[in-house]
Each structure stands twice: as C-alpha cells, then as structure tokens.
C-alpha cells in the first residue's frame, strides 16, 4: 500500500498525521500565511497589512452588530492577504496540480534577480530548495530568500517588492516560495546541509 505524503515532511508530534488531509493543510496555510517562517520586518508588514485591510473593511461593511462586522472584516482581509500576498501556487504544488519545466523555474529565478538588482533596498538574492540540491522537477517550487538593506524605509520597500513578486507569481500561476529577511543571520534557520546558490550579492555580505 502506498504511504500517504505528509505536507512538507512536517513533524509536530501527535498532530502530524492530520497533515495528510488537504483541508488541514489549506486551513493552516490560511491562518499563518508564512508568518512563522518570516523574519521580523516582513512579519510586522503582513500583520500591519491585515490590520489596515480589516479597519478599512470594518468602515465599509454595513452591519448593526460591531462584533459580527469585525469578524467578517478580519476574515475577508486575511483572505485577501492570503491570496495576494501569500504563496498560493507554492502551496498548490504540494497537491501536484502545478507543473513547470525546470528550465522555466531557473529562468524565473533569474528574472526575480534582475528585478531585485534594480532595487536600492535589496542586498542579496539566494536560492534554496530542490534547485540547489539538483532535485528540481516539474512539480518543484522556487525557494528564494531576499536580504534587505538596513533601515525602516528599506524594510518597507523590500516587503513591497516581495508583495509584488508574490502577486506576479499568482498571476503567472507560478509556485514561488519567497521571504524577505532582515540579515544573513536568518539564513541559519535553513537546513545546514543545503548550500544556497547566490544569484545577487554585489557587496559580498554572505562572505562576511
């Protein structure tokens, strides 16, 4: 009998078997939207975006009960954030419904690198995952980390860049798993046996 695949080889003890069910995977992805993996600036950016959209919708939605209006506003804003600032097709690839030729994935990585190199707020672009392990296939996603430059403006600008790239990937139906990180220290959370491919690092910050 074929063993069922568990989402992202996740291991959270007795709850692990639940991640054989697609509805649990989708619900968990909707709730957290990558915040647990995100660095501080991007985490704040996503939460602030959620709060702003919730506030706007709360003022627009007509309902006499403020509690119900708040719940509806939050659910709608969180869903909009999930769709436009999430990584839906990176999630979808786990279900085998997204396919891209390996050459297209590599080409897409270099397209992002070219756009990032034009930003004054980005220091480095690195690729992880199946591409650098030499295991890339049609159902692979593109696992990228973009290191921003120091400063509040650079943090905001880099997070907006990340939002645009995720939206671009959504429109292109491309499985992009991208995070904006504050410093190379965050890369220590990545697998120790996975050496990244550096696509852009003009100041050699990863060699420091």
């Amino acid at each position: 009998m074929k063993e069922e695949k568990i989402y992202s080889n996740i291991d959270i003890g007795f709850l692990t078997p639940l991640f054989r069910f697609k509805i649990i995977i989708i619900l968990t992805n909707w709730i957290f939207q990558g915040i647990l993996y995100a660095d501080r600036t991007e985490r704040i950016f996503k939460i602030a975006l959620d709060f702003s959209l919730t506030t706007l919708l709360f003022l627009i939605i007509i309902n006499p009960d403020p509690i119900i209006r708040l719940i509806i506003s939050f659910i709608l804003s969180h869903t909009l954030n999930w769709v436009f600032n999430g990584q839906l097709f990176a999630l979808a690839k786990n279900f085998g419904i997204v396919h891209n030729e390996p050459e297209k994935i590599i080409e897409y990585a270099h397209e992002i690198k070219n756009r990032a190199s034009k930003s004054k707020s980005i220091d480095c672009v690195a690729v992880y995952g199946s591409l650098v392990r030499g295991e890339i296939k049609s159902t692979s996603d593109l696992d990228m980390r973009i290191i921003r430059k120091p400063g509040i403006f650079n943090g905001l600008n880099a997070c907006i860049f990340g939002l645009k790239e995720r939206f671009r990937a959504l429109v292109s139906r491309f499985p992009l798993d991208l995070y904006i990180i504050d410093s190379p220290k965050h890369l220590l959370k990545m697998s120790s046996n996975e050496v990244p491919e550096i696509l852009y690092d003009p100041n050699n910050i990863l060699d420091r």
Side-chain angles (χ1 to χ4, degrees):
M1 182 176 179
K2 185 178 180 181
E3 184 180 355
E4 292 182 82
K5 181 181 178 182
I6 296 177
Y7 175 59
S8 296
N9 297 316
I10 193 169
D11 184 5
I12 51 174
F14 70 95
L15 293 176
T16 299
L18 292 175
F19 286 84
R20 291 192 175 97
F21 300 101
K22 292 180 180 180
I23 186 63
I24 297 298
I25 295 172
I26 294 171
L27 182 61
T28 302
N29 190 272
W30 177 82
I31 292 172
F32 295 107
Q33 301 190 21
I35 287 179
L36 298 181
Y37 297 101
D39 212 346
R40 184 171 179 269
T41 299
E42 189 166 45
R43 190 181 302 128
I44 292 173
F45 178 79
K46 285 195 170 189
I47 292 173
L49 194 57
D50 244 6
F51 178 79
S52 300
L53 285 171
T54 298
T55 301
L56 178 62
L57 289 171
F58 183 81
L59 296 174
I60 293 175
I61 293 173
I62 300 175
N63 191 296
D65 189 328
I67 302 299
I68 293 177
R69 190 163 24 139
L70 180 61
I71 292 172
I72 293 173
S73 299
F74 173 74
I75 290 174
L76 286 176
S77 68
H78 201 61
T79 301
L80 286 172
N81 206 2
W82 182 54
V83 172
F84 295 107
N85 194 29
Q87 298 170 146
L88 291 188
F89 285 98
L91 170 67
K93 67 96 183 179
N94 289 282
F95 305 139
I97 58 178
V98 175
H99 298 271
N100 289 284
E101 292 300 320
E103 293 78 11
K104 180 180 178 181
I105 298 174
I106 295 171
E107 179 184 353
Y108 201 97
H110 285 280
E111 289 174 358
I112 292 179
K113 183 264 292 185
N114 290 337
R115 289 191 286 270
S117 67
K118 297 175 184 176
S119 171
K120 296 180 180 180
S121 298
I122 291 173
D123 256 338
C124 178
V125 178
V127 175
Y128 285 82
S130 58
L131 194 154
V132 298
R133 293 195 304 268
E135 300 172 356
I136 189 170
K137 51 188 178 181
S138 64
T139 55
S140 294
D141 61 0
L142 177 57
D143 192 357
M144 302 191 80
R145 298 295 181 271
I146 293 179
I147 303 176
R148 72 174 183 88
K149 291 182 178 179
I152 295 175
F153 174 79
N154 288 326
L156 177 61
N157 197 38
C159 286
I160 292 174
F161 177 88
L163 187 155
K164 289 180 179 178
E165 288 302 328
R166 294 187 194 101
F167 179 73
R168 192 189 303 268
L170 174 69
V171 173
S172 303
R173 297 172 57 86
F174 185 85
L176 177 65
D177 187 6
L178 179 148
Y179 289 93
I180 305 297
I181 61 179
D182 297 334
S183 75
K185 292 181 179 178
H186 190 82
L187 297 179
L188 296 175
K189 297 181 180 181
M190 305 297 290
S191 176
S192 59
N193 60 358
E194 191 169 291
V195 179
E197 178 179 345
I198 310 303
L199 298 184
Y200 175 72
D201 186 13
N203 299 314
N204 298 313
I205 65 169
L206 293 183
D207 292 334
R208 296 174 187 173

